[in-house]
Amino acid sequence: MPVVELNGTKINYLQIDSDAGEHAEHLVMVHGLATNMAFWYMRHAAEFAKRYKVTLFDLRGHGRSRVTESGYTPENMSRDLEELLNHLSINKAHFIAHSFGGIVALNFACRSVNRVASLMLVDSHIGAIRKLEKDNTWEYGQKVQQLLHDQGLDISVNEPYFGYRLLATVAHLQKEKVPISDELQELVIPIVGNYGARTAKQWLKLLETTKAEEELMGDDGLTLERLKKLTFPILAVYGERSQAMLTGSHLLEVWPHADFRRVREAGHFFPTTRPAELMQNCEQFWDGALVSDIPKREGDKQRHFRSDRFSERDDGWYFFTREGEHGPYESLDIANNSLSSYIEQAKAG
């Protein structure tokens, strides 16, 4: 894979030509902390390349990009992104960004708004929004706190940087080969996945030998004033069980032109565990259905997250498509698997 020297570091990147031809629009995919471009490459990139010319890259200090002593503030990492796009002569693109990658993409967008065709923000926690949170109760947090207690981990889910601390702590456990419960593994998939040991080692090196931890947990550079100026099409997708859902709920007030989806029973890393659902949301968004007609419930003045893909009734779970209702199924997992199969069959046929 090619690398390029820019902004005082080396950035590893990959471009995938589009099935739509040389005039296809660009899509830039930004991963989050403690992972790398494989987060998007393994299950999403080839599908998105049917429509766009796809660009993936490793954030500074991640994957095969260089580990530098400093430079890990979201603002500076957005400069990495900007200079990479300049190098690749990408003047304007669609973006999809997960977690901390969304903070990087938003910093870039606030500075270069005319270069963003659209943004799909996936489960990103924003500092300026966190300050608005009058009720910091994370609905699923009590269950997560119990998981941490059962594992013997002294981490509070109410800490502002809970996610970063959890990734670091589990990385230590992975390095020391301490068994981790299945439930806890689901919260930190990149650290315990197929390349978990290698990923954990690299994440710990980043935290222990550089200024990354200090810079990542500082000011993320985003203010309400800057965010409200973003008027390009935005779809925010959040996991129902994710702590970041606290941010998503407040973004409803910040972006009245955007649309919002909630993935039922999903945690922070749902793009890797529920890829078919995410990809279908992407396609609908890019086709314009979600931004041209923002739905409201009759009689409501407030906007809501849409989460009507699945529904539970007395006789079981159902999912919905343009063709109608499908079900009942014995559990949500079975309904989700059936939806994934349905999507794959529709693509094939």
Side-chain angles (χ1 to χ4, degrees):
M1 284 179 282
V3 296
V4 59
E5 293 276 350
L6 50 81
N7 197 27
T9 190
K10 179 183 76 173
I11 295 296
N12 179 56
Y13 69 92
L14 174 68
Q15 287 193 294
I16 304 173
D17 289 334
S18 174
D19 295 347
E22 60 179 337
H23 298 297
E25 295 180 280
H26 288 274
L27 171 66
V28 178
M29 309 185 74
V30 191
H31 67 81
L33 296 178
T35 181
N36 54 55
M37 70 166 71
F39 182 87
W40 290 123
Y41 177 79
M42 300 301 293
R43 301 191 182 188
H44 304 86
E47 185 65 28
F48 293 155
K50 294 178 180 178
R51 181 172 192 150
Y52 296 112
K53 184 172 183 178
V54 174
T55 297
L56 307 102
F57 69 103
D58 290 329
L59 291 171
R60 174 187 295 251
H62 292 69
R64 296 184 179 180
S65 290
R66 179 182 295 150
V67 176
T68 56
E69 181 181 354
S70 61
Y72 298 97
T73 64
E75 169 64 23
N76 193 58
M77 293 175 84
S78 76
R79 295 283 182 185
D80 295 344
L81 171 58
E82 181 178 33
E83 292 197 18
L84 176 63
L85 298 186
N86 292 343
H87 171 75
L88 298 174
S89 299
I90 299 176
N91 296 320
K92 192 169 188 174
H94 299 272
F95 289 80
I96 178 169
H98 176 252
S99 192
F100 180 80
I103 306 305
V104 174
L106 284 169
N107 270 274
F108 169 78
C110 287
R111 192 174 58 253
S112 305
V113 64
N114 293 329
R115 300 184 69 174
V116 181
S118 72
L119 170 64
M120 189 163 184
L121 186 69
V122 184
D123 223 69
S124 293
H125 208 153
I126 300 172
I129 304 300
R130 185 186 292 117
K131 295 175 183 178
L132 295 178
E133 294 164 2
K134 297 177 182 178
D135 180 5
N136 291 315
T137 302
W138 176 20
E139 185 175 346
Y140 192 65
Q142 291 184 350
K143 295 181 180 179
V144 174
Q145 192 69 71
Q146 186 61 49
L147 291 176
L148 298 176
H149 176 76
D150 293 343
Q151 189 74 45
L153 302 180
D154 184 20
I155 304 175
S156 171
V157 298
N158 295 320
E159 294 182 16
Y161 297 97
F162 158 74
Y164 297 172
R165 280 206 61 197
L166 178 61
L167 287 173
T169 301
V170 173
H172 277 289
L173 296 178
Q174 181 79 346
K175 182 179 178 180
E176 297 167 6
K177 298 183 179 180
V178 176
I180 302 170
S181 70
D182 292 342
E183 295 84 356
L184 185 57
Q185 287 188 37
E186 188 176 354
L187 295 176
V188 287
I189 288 171
I191 294 295
V192 297
N194 293 334
Y195 304 98
R198 184 191 309 170
T199 302
K201 184 177 180 180
Q202 183 170 7
W203 178 239
L204 290 176
K205 178 183 177 182
L206 187 68
L207 297 181
E208 294 171 354
T209 65
T210 74
K211 296 181 180 178
E213 184 170 7
E214 173 188 345
E215 294 177 338
L216 291 172
M217 295 188 185
D219 184 2
D220 63 18
L222 300 173
T223 65
L224 290 179
E225 290 73 23
R226 297 183 81 194
L227 293 172
K228 288 178 179 180
K229 291 179 181 178
L230 303 180
T231 58
F232 48 73
I234 297 172
L235 175 64
V237 185
Y238 282 78
E240 187 174 42
R241 293 181 173 181
S242 171
Q243 186 191 38
M245 189 68 198
L246 295 171
T247 285
S249 298
H250 286 282
L251 283 175
L252 288 164
E253 305 168 16
V254 177
W255 291 325
H257 70 290
D259 206 349
F260 297 80
R261 296 288 305 198
R262 175 173 53 200
V263 182
R264 290 182 182 273
E265 303 290 320
H268 183 59
F269 292 104
F270 66 85
T272 61
T273 59
R274 310 264 284 271
E277 266 181 84
L278 180 67
M279 286 189 282
Q280 181 158 18
N281 281 326
C282 290
E283 294 297 335
Q284 291 176 336
F285 172 57
W286 291 326
D287 286 339
L290 295 182
V291 293
S292 61
D293 182 21
I294 298 175
K296 295 183 181 179
R297 297 174 183 173
E298 186 176 354
D300 282 349
K301 295 182 180 180
Q302 299 296 323
R303 303 205 13 247
H304 298 272
F305 273 78
R306 287 167 39 124
S307 55
D308 55 357
R309 175 62 68 188
F310 297 95
S311 177
E312 185 181 22
R313 298 207 293 269
D314 291 342
D315 57 346
W317 284 89
Y318 294 77
F319 70 83
F320 301 84
T321 68
R322 294 178 181 177
E323 285 68 37
E325 181 179 275
H326 303 256
Y329 298 95
E330 292 182 1
S331 69
L332 178 59
D333 286 340
I334 295 175
N336 183 58
N337 290 336
S338 298
L339 173 60
S340 297
S341 298
Y342 176 89
I343 293 171
E344 294 301 325
Q345 291 173 7
K347 290 177 181 176

